[in-house]
Amino acid sequence: EAEVTSAFPLCRRYVAGERCKSTAKLEGKVVIITGANTGIGKETARDLAQRGKVIIACRDIAKAEAAASEIRAETGNQQVIVKKLDLADTKSIREFAEKFLAEEKELHILINNAGVMLCPYSKTADGFEMHLGVNHLGHFLLTFLLLERLKQSAPARIVNVSSLAHHGGRIRFHDLHGEKCYNRGLAYCHSKLANVLFTRELARRLQGKSQRQAGFTANALHPGSVHSELVRHSFVMTWLWKIFSFFLKTPCEGAQTSIYCAVAEELDSVTGQYFSDCQPAYVSPRGRDDETAKKLWSVSCELLGIQWD
């Protein structure tokens, strides 16, 4: 019985994974985290608020204000600010960026964290399939709009929250919006693969420029299997998540790799990589396909009506 009891903490420690050990401060620095009103986004904001100024960019302002208020009280940092951002609407993304650029002269860390998972078939305000629209295209446009401010503030970092699920994804250029064939589990996987490919191509483009010397990086990560609201669209997954919660990371544990990618000093010049448990992780062959990454970039620009060379 003693052996079984001692095995539980060991098992729990294994599930929890690595913690970000960096104590780096972000004094005078500005961080944007999308979807930080709940789950790993909120825990990432809670940690980074102990280091510097954090802007919580969310669709649900009431929930975001409640989260920000809690974080301010806990950290004593009044520089935890809420801004409206709906990644399912390009108009909202442009308005957010416009207001941010008018109010803030610097941006040092952009964490593209928000996401949807297992949605029944639906489309964004612009007619994009919801997973692709929010998880990939919304963050693609947001990054594009804030890129110059990030460059001016370098050293700067872009952190894209992807998932191990990218291994099950493929970029179906012939049916990007799932109009011919839709499976909500696969749609999530496809969007997470898009995150990995976007990170890879963005890093490649930045590497060819002087930003590399200035420490301007872009990395992606898998947070782990986390007990969060992300599975709310699936009754079965919600039920399974409750039953197996012991084997899932808490949101705080799930946030560690996001925090690591945002602040760890040893990543100052590391770019285009994919991390899990605060260390480099294996990327699927599809996630390493440069031709697909370039084509996805070009198609994303077309869909969003932007020129990003």
Side-chain angles (χ1 to χ4, degrees), residues 24 43 85 88 111 115 140 142 147-148 188-189 208 227 240 275-276 281 292:
E43 295 306 321
L85 171 66
I111 303 179
F140 187 94
L142 180 66
L147 195 73
E148 283 309 311
Y188 177 72
C189 295
H227 196 264
L240 287 171
F275 293 86
S276 177
T292 303

Side-chain angles (χ1 to χ4, degrees), residues 224-245:
S225 297
V226 181
H227 196 264
S228 74
E229 290 178 21
L230 198 57
V231 294
R232 64 185 173 274
H233 291 292
S234 166
F235 171 77
V236 174
M237 287 293 282
T238 303
W239 183 69
L240 287 171
W241 248 224
K242 278 182 181 162
I243 292 174
F244 295 107
S245 60

Side-chain angles (χ1 to χ4, degrees), residues 44-59:
T44 304
R46 194 192 304 276
D47 180 285
L48 298 185
Q50 295 171 38
R51 306 169 191 254
K53 181 173 183 173
V54 175
I55 293 170
I56 290 177
C58 291
R59 183 173 52 91

Side-chain angles (χ1 to χ4, degrees), residues 20 157 255-264 266-267 275 278-279:
C20 173
R157 299 185 186 191
Q256 296 305 309
T257 307
S258 295
I259 298 162
Y260 174 75
C261 288
V263 303
E266 62 267 32
L267 300 187
F275 293 86
C278 301
Q279 57 197 4

Side-chain angles (χ1 to χ4, degrees), residues 124-151:
T124 68
D126 302 271
F128 309 139
E129 185 277 315
M130 192 60 72
H131 291 91
L132 184 81
V134 171
N135 298 354
H136 169 60
L137 291 169
H139 282 129
F140 187 94
L141 178 60
L142 180 66
T143 306
F144 166 74
L145 295 170
L146 299 176
L147 195 73
E148 283 309 311
R149 190 55 43 93
L150 282 156
K151 282 182 184 175

